[in-house]
Amino acid sequence: MSNLYMTFASGSVADRFRENPDVLVASGNETILLAEGDKSPFQSGKTFRIEEAEGQFASKGNIVYANVPVDSNARSLLFHRLLTEKSRLGAGHDGFTAYRLGVDPDDNHGIVLIQFAEAGNKFRDSTDYVLFQEWLKDAVEQKGAGPIIKHYVVTEADNL
């Protein structure tokens, strides 16, 4: 499987990356930058090993990013559950574009990224999204910490 690279940026640095067609730039509480491949285009940030992937990231839309602090057994069980019920990952919902299930090799956390080219808010209002959140909470229950879930809009003009 490939790697996913993620970093955060602001100002002129984020603007410079917006010009790179291989980098996905999304805005939320901060600006998140994502890229896939064999080599990171970023000078700093995180590298995730992708275990499961479907679809290709689009240049615009919105992203649900979840950092799930779990051990390898809980992560494997969570990923198995999500892949068995892909609707929990947004598959089949209007505007679904892609998902990535991966591992942060530094601390073994699971990561989930889901992108919608449009209608991402409809997914976030769905029963599938509620169950997605429940499954993340169940996976981390034994660690005593909750999942960190953030939402990003890939281009601010989308206003999704």
Side-chain angles (χ1 to χ4, degrees), residues 30-106:
E30 60 269 318
T31 299
I32 185 175
L33 305 169
L34 300 171
E36 291 184 283
D38 297 325
K39 187 171 185 263
S40 176
F42 314 126
Q43 291 182 3
S44 64
K46 297 293 287 182
T47 299
F48 302 110
R49 188 178 68 247
I50 300 302
E51 292 191 347
E52 297 288 341
E54 183 173 310
Q56 295 296 318
F57 285 129
S59 61
K60 67 177 193 169
N62 60 23
I63 291 176
V64 175
Y65 162 65
N67 179 342
V68 191
V70 292
D71 63 23
S72 61
N73 290 333
R75 186 184 68 248
S76 294
L77 179 59
L78 172 65
F79 287 2
H80 175 75
R81 289 179 79 188
L82 289 170
L83 292 169
T84 302
E85 294 286 336
K86 289 186 179 183
S87 61
R88 309 297 189 257
L89 289 168
H93 285 264
D94 289 344
F96 171 79
T97 304
Y99 68 74
R100 299 292 183 269
L101 303 179
V103 177
D104 181 338
D106 293 337

Side-chain angles (χ1 to χ4, degrees), residues 123-142:
F123 171 66
R124 292 194 340 231
D125 290 338
S126 73
T127 303
D128 282 324
Y129 184 69
V130 170
L131 291 170
F132 168 75
Q133 291 177 305
E134 291 291 322
W135 287 4
L136 296 183
K137 289 175 187 168
D138 289 348
V140 299
E141 204 168 72
Q142 296 177 13

